[in-house]
Amino acid sequence: MDNDLLGLPPLDALRGFVAVARRMSITLAAQDLCLTQSAVSRQVQALEEHLGTALFIRRHRALALTPTGEELLHIASPWLERLSEFTHSIRQDGRVRPVTITASIGVTALWILPRLGAFQAAHPHIDVRVAANNRMLDLEPEGIDLAIRYCREAQAPRGAIHLFNEHIVPVASKSVAAVAFKRGNELSQQILLEFDDRMRPWLRWSDWLRQRGLPSPEPKAYLHFNQYDQVIQAAIAGHGVALGRIGLVFPMLEDGRLVAQPDIDIESSDYAYWLIGMSSAPRPEVTALRDWIMKEVAHVADGIANIKGLG
């Protein structure tokens, strides 16, 4: 019977390749691995010889991955990262393996990170690893325990737990809101903060206004951002009016950093936020984080229900 293990490349050579591919520099990879440059070069060369193909395109003072190199990095990098985490976890006396949670950059910045301190205070023995990524990561291959997804109900995987719906309303700082939300003035001559995401037009001003049958205002200017958390930070700083996703910005509404436009029906989309898990029988520490998230969601839901138009 063939032994598949015999055909695997040497671990040191694979580690050297990943280090170089991540840095695109043999010098920096050698520093990361505490090896000489020649040693790392030999590891990469040995791996290329083992595979019988080039992994890098070598240019003058520059490296680039070949298609085979890119594919190998996609496979090997998360595998080595998981192996490193496992090795670290079993070496820790009395420590449990970290709980890894992923979400988009905006959800991570606005919803997860501000709340993590409270979770750590309540569960000091549980380490949390946050993997913020706008790309939808595969949970099991990436070693991720929990994920917060933003999608329609039909797109949510089986077993997904509904967190909260998407509700949208214009928001601004107190000083900007005092002018922008004044009755009769509406949004004219205000700076509008725009989220440049063509995949979600309902988060853009033109679509929001059109859906409500409102004429396009004559803004003083537009400020464009490619990350939603940047839009909200700009609104808090008083740079203009943003379309606020209430589930994400509720803490800012609650503490007064942002003000929602009053006397307006709050727009709802058919998208919602869902919590999914890698395992149907999660570890106790994963269950602890999941249950804590649900308690936080309940608090947000109560607050959202009290906002005019949703009660």
Side-chain angles (χ1 to χ4, degrees):
M1 182 175 64
D2 292 339
N3 188 344
D4 293 339
L5 296 178
L6 294 177
L8 293 175
L11 179 59
D12 281 345
L14 198 59
R15 182 175 60 176
F17 160 75
V18 170
V20 174
R22 285 175 175 175
R23 292 281 209 162
M24 282 301 167
S25 167
I26 292 178
T27 300
L28 296 178
Q31 294 174 3
D32 292 343
L33 297 175
C34 298
L35 296 173
T36 65
Q37 294 181 45
S38 59
V40 174
S41 294
R42 288 194 298 270
Q43 288 180 348
V44 173
Q45 184 178 2
L47 183 59
E48 289 178 324
E49 292 175 353
H50 179 88
L51 297 174
T53 186
L55 300 173
F56 290 98
I57 301 171
R58 292 161 175 84
R59 302 190 178 103
H60 180 62
R61 295 188 177 181
L63 291 173
L65 286 168
T66 65
T68 301
E70 291 180 354
E71 185 176 0
L72 180 59
L73 178 64
H74 178 74
I75 295 171
S77 184
W79 180 81
L80 287 177
E81 187 173 339
R82 290 184 64 187
L83 182 60
S84 175
E85 291 176 355
F86 172 75
T87 303
H88 178 72
S89 68
I90 62 176
R91 285 177 175 175
Q92 290 181 312
D93 294 332
R95 300 295 293 183
V96 296
R97 182 156 55 95
V99 179
T100 300
I101 182 170
T102 187
S104 69
I105 294 172
V107 172
T108 298
L110 296 173
W111 205 94
I112 297 177
L113 294 184
R115 294 170 166 83
L116 267 187
F119 176 78
Q120 290 177 318
H123 304 275
H125 64 291
I126 299 178
D127 292 337
V128 178
R129 174 176 171 263
V130 179
N133 202 312
N134 287 337
R135 180 173 61 88
M136 191 173 293
L137 302 178
D138 292 332
L139 271 59
E140 188 169 358
E142 300 281 355
I144 294 172
D145 298 294
L146 295 169
I148 295 179
R149 300 284 195 231
Y150 175 71
C151 62
R152 294 184 173 93
E153 183 175 1
Q155 297 169 325
R158 180 179 299 178
I161 301 173
H162 178 264
L163 297 179
F164 46 85
N165 292 328
E166 180 81 296
H167 301 289
I168 303 168
V169 65
V171 297
S173 66
K174 287 183 178 179
S175 59
V176 173
V179 177
F181 300 156
K182 190 175 182 180
R183 187 183 296 270
N185 189 50
E186 298 181 347
L187 299 172
S188 62
Q189 295 306 305
Q190 301 302 315
I191 297 176
L192 300 183
L193 307 176
E194 185 78 286
F195 179 37
D196 284 336
D197 187 347
R198 295 182 179 179
M199 299 298 293
R200 299 183 176 99
W202 57 91
L203 297 176
R204 296 170 65 95
W205 279 105
S206 58
D207 187 84
W208 185 83
L209 291 164
R210 185 172 58 254
Q211 290 294 326
R212 301 177 61 81
L214 298 175
S216 295
E218 297 180 1
K220 183 185 297 183
Y222 281 97
L223 285 179
H224 296 263
F225 302 88
N226 69 342
Q227 299 294 341
Y228 184 72
D229 60 302
Q230 296 170 353
V231 175
I232 297 306
Q233 291 303 324
I236 292 172
H239 296 322
V241 184
L243 286 176
R245 305 160 80 175
I246 295 180
L248 300 185
V249 305
F250 177 74
M252 296 82 166
L253 296 173
E254 192 174 34
D255 63 22
R257 283 178 289 168
L258 289 176
V259 176
Q261 183 174 7
D263 303 320
I264 187 171
D265 292 334
I266 295 175
E267 190 75 19
S268 299
S269 80
D270 56 353
Y271 274 64
Y273 298 84
W274 306 82
L275 182 66
I276 64 175
M278 176 179 67
S279 172
S280 58
R283 294 175 284 131
E285 54 270 24
V286 176
T287 300
L289 180 58
R290 181 197 64 195
D291 293 347
W292 175 82
I293 288 173
M294 297 310 300
K295 289 181 181 179
E296 289 294 307
V297 166
H299 172 70
V300 173
D302 290 342
I304 291 175
N306 290 329
I307 296 177
K308 186 172 182 176
L310 296 181

